[in-house]
């Protein structure tokens, strides 16, 4: 009999959801986290009464009513709607691609029909089904928008040419022939009032958590403590990169506390879509929560190559990496006592709602197994 039923490695949204649910159902869990705080990448730091999204902006959105209600049990959400602005060489456009964008970009476009015809003309240059992100983007919105609002941003973000990127990445963004700047198509959206930490702290309220502990540096010791392990770190690192490392993108953040302005850019998110500006976006955190305090805090987000030992943010789900991931997955399938999950454990570009859905599915399976045994 071991001390814990589950050892959960990583206190991000995935690990914390599992810890909360398993504990609620009577299991004894220990969460270990290598950082000095819980919350993973949704962690916020309070600076001058502003919740600063330390590891990049997180906007919760979902179309799944169950998941929306699930999140609301931990915290109330405000009615923030994400409507980023794109700055291309000092020209400002609305995102996602919608009638506001089209009419600003093309002076001869006034109606949805005009916009559709314009895009149709521009996509005629493609003779076949889109094979990569560049072709997919042109087929969705035409070459003009691709050149001004997609190419520079995407190539900075992913560190490779749009021609070498999978088409699905750009399909995340809506294209609309209405004057609607809502970045998401989901039914529910918002920012937790009081910040994301409130959610995680509530999830982990009755769970034992060890901070500043790196599981991989002390595997044997920790394995001895629990019957099962839920591992939310990088799957390739778990296996000592035995088939070689998967590729990730990393991010560097430059945060500035501004005292002499209360409103730096008038919006929470401004994307810089040219290829000269080194950062992809500037986040002005106070606008996520309609905070009218004095001063403001902004963060410039610089994408960067990921190297072993650095923080991995985005899995690069192209064919080459997905094939390599499948090799690690084969190893994972042979494990009877280890479950891999979350963005890094599953090597998937998950949004937060998908992370929760996946965690709840695992809990269901675990409880069923428990009943069988
Ligand atoms: N994208 C773009 N221009 C923009 C914003 C996004 O071309 O101004 C593309 C880019 O390829 C990016 C993808 O859309 O990788 C997905 O963007 P999203 O905002 O969903 O990314 P995240 O917030 O997850 O970084």
């Amino acid at each position: 009999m071991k001390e814990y039923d589950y050892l959960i490695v990583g206190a991000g949204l995935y690990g914390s959801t599992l810890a909360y649910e398993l504990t609620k159902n009577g299991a004894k869990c220990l969460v270990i986290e290598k950082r000095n705080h819980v919350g993973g990448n949704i962690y916020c730091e309070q600076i001058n009464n502003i919740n600063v999204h330390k590891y990049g902006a997180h906007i919760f959105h979902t179309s799944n009513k169950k998941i929306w209600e699930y999140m609301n049990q931990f915290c109330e959400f405000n009615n923030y709607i994400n409507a980023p602005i794109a700055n291309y060489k000092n020209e400002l456009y609305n995102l996602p691609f919608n009638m506001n964008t089209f009419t600003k970009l093309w002076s001869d476009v006034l109606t949805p029909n005009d916009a559709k015809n314009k895009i149709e003309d521009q996509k005629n240059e493609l003779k076949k089904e889109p094979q990569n992100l560049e072709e997919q983007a042109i087929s969705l919105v035409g070459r003009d928008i691709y050149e001004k609002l997609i190419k520079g941003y995407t190539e900075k973000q992913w560190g490779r040419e749009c021609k070498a990127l999978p088409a699905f990445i750009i399909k995340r963004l809506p294209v609309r022939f209405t004057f609607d700047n809502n970045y998401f198509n989901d039914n529910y959206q918002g920012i937790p009032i009081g910040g994301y930490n409130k959610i995680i702290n509530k999830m982990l309220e009755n769970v034992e958590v060890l901070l500043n502990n790196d599981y991989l540096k002390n595997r044997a010791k920790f394995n001895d403590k629990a019957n099962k392990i839920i591992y939310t770190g990088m799957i390739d690192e778990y296996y000592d990169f035995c088939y070689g490392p998967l590729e990730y993108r990393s991010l560097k953040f430059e945060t500035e506390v501004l005292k002499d302005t209360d409103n730096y850019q008038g919006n929470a998110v401004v994307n810089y879509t040219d290829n000269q500006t080194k950062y992809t976006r500037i986040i002005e955190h106070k606008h996520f929560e309609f905070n009218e305090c004095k001063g403001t805090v902004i963060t410039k987000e610089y994408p960067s190559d990921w190297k072993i030992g650095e923080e991995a943010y985005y899995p690069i789900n192209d064919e080459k990496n997905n094939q390599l991931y499948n090799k690690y997955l084969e190893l994972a399938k042979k494990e009877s006592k280890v479950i891999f999950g979350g963005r890094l454990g599953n090597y998937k570009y998950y949004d937060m709602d998908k992370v929760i859905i996946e965690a709840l599915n695992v809990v269901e399976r675990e409880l069923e197994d428990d009943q069988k045994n």
Side-chain angles (χ1 to χ4, degrees):
M1 216 16 217
K2 295 197 174 177
E3 199 180 341
Y4 296 94
D5 297 307
Y6 293 92
L7 172 74
I8 299 172
V9 181
L13 184 58
Y14 180 82
S16 301
T17 306
L18 276 161
Y20 172 75
E21 287 296 327
L22 292 169
T23 305
K24 198 175 78 182
N25 283 285
K28 194 157 184 248
C29 300
L30 172 66
V31 174
I32 63 168
E33 167 57 54
K34 68 178 173 189
R35 290 179 179 164
N36 63 2
H37 60 76
V38 293
N41 286 354
I42 65 174
Y43 173 73
C44 291
E45 185 181 25
Q46 276 248 329
I47 305 181
N48 296 347
N49 289 322
I50 297 168
N51 284 304
V52 173
H53 297 218
K54 265 293 263 205
Y55 303 93
H58 284 78
I59 300 138
F60 191 82
H61 57 97
T62 187
S63 284
N64 186 321
K65 190 166 184 216
K66 213 179 96 195
I67 296 300
W68 178 246
E69 284 166 357
Y70 185 80
M71 289 302 270
N72 274 269
Q73 70 176 308
F74 301 107
C75 190
E76 203 183 325
F77 281 69
N78 70 15
N79 62 343
Y80 175 81
I81 300 258
N82 197 31
I85 297 290
N87 179 324
Y88 176 77
K89 301 186 176 174
N90 291 340
E91 291 169 26
L92 301 185
Y93 295 97
N94 287 110
L95 291 173
F97 314 117
N98 74 85
M99 284 304 291
N100 290 308
T101 330
F102 305 143
T103 53
K104 174 116 188 229
L105 186 74
W106 296 308
S107 58
D108 55 342
V109 166
L110 289 173
T111 65
N113 232 358
D114 294 342
K116 280 184 188 159
N117 288 337
K118 185 69 117 191
I119 292 171
E120 204 51 41
D121 280 353
Q122 297 200 356
K123 75 185 245 202
N124 278 338
E125 67 171 272
L126 296 173
K127 300 279 177 280
K128 51 182 172 19
E129 277 295 295
Q131 304 292 316
N132 55 49
L133 196 150
E134 174 172 302
E135 292 173 7
Q136 181 68 63
I138 293 172
S139 122
L140 285 171
V141 287
R143 182 167 279 279
D144 290 346
I145 290 187
Y146 169 68
E147 297 284 351
K148 284 194 169 182
L149 302 181
I150 297 174
K151 190 172 191 298
Y153 185 96
T154 302
E155 294 187 347
K156 287 191 286 191
Q157 166 83 342
W158 296 99
R160 55 194 71 194
E161 287 192 3
C162 288
K163 284 194 185 79
L165 283 165
F168 84 89
I169 294 176
I170 197 69
K171 286 203 211 143
R172 286 168 62 87
L173 304 194
V175 178
R176 283 194 206 109
F177 294 90
T178 52
F179 291 88
D180 176 359
N181 297 326
N182 185 347
Y183 199 61
F184 302 114
N185 279 329
D186 289 321
N187 293 352
Y188 310 100
Q189 158 171 201
I191 300 284
I193 297 172
Y196 283 95
N197 298 4
K198 259 179 104 170
I199 295 177
I200 298 289
N201 291 341
K202 201 129 191 215
M203 284 177 163
L204 295 177
E205 205 170 48
N206 298 315
V207 184
E208 230 178 294
V209 180
L210 268 184
L211 297 176
N212 303 306
N213 267 278
D214 189 342
Y215 166 79
L216 294 179
K217 291 204 175 114
N218 257 314
R219 269 184 216 230
K221 175 181 124 191
F222 286 117
N223 288 349
D224 270 353
K225 284 183 182 292
N227 295 326
K228 269 196 168 173
I229 292 163
I230 295 170
Y231 185 80
T232 76
M234 292 157 50
I235 187 167
D236 50 344
E237 190 177 22
Y238 180 91
Y239 289 112
D240 297 320
F241 305 106
C242 65
Y243 297 129
L246 289 160
E247 290 177 288
Y248 300 85
R249 281 302 272 171
S250 191
L251 297 171
K252 302 266 179 310
F253 299 101
E254 217 176 79
T255 294
E256 295 168 43
V257 180
L258 307 178
K259 295 243 176 337
D260 47 5
T261 175
D262 299 337
N263 186 5
Y264 175 79
Q265 62 184 16
N267 206 32
V269 185
V270 177
N271 291 356
Y272 286 76
T273 58
D274 64 292
N275 64 4
Q276 296 300 304
T277 311
K278 291 281 174 272
Y279 43 86
T280 44
R281 48 191 166 193
I282 300 184
I283 305 300
E284 187 171 10
H285 304 268
K286 72 189 301 186
H287 295 308
F288 284 128
E289 36 192 23
F290 316 112
N291 186 335
E292 291 180 346
C293 64
K294 284 261 157 249
T296 191
V297 181
I298 60 165
T299 302
K300 292 180 179 144
E301 187 173 315
Y302 297 82
S304 67
D305 282 336
W306 171 86
K307 289 181 243 29
I308 290 180
E310 290 182 347
E311 296 282 358
Y313 285 86
Y314 294 93
I316 300 183
N317 288 118
D318 60 10
E319 213 167 296
K320 181 181 118 196
N321 283 293
N322 284 343
Q323 272 177 19
L324 182 55
Y325 167 69
N326 283 333
K327 288 174 75 176
Y328 284 111
L329 187 59
E330 286 309 311
L331 294 180
K333 281 185 191 154
K334 291 189 195 125
E335 307 275 1
S336 60
K337 299 201 174 325
V338 189
I339 297 166
F340 294 86
R343 223 186 225 206
L344 301 177
N346 286 353
Y347 198 66
K348 288 212 175 57
Y349 189 4
Y350 280 140
D351 286 330
M352 287 181 278
D353 61 331
K354 305 295 179 305
V355 166
I356 307 261
I357 292 171
E358 201 224 306
L360 295 179
N361 287 339
V362 170
V363 172
E364 205 170 301
R365 278 205 304 274
E366 285 302 289
L367 295 178
E368 272 170 21
D369 282 358
D370 202 33
Q371 270 173 0
K372 275 187 226 144
N373 295 332

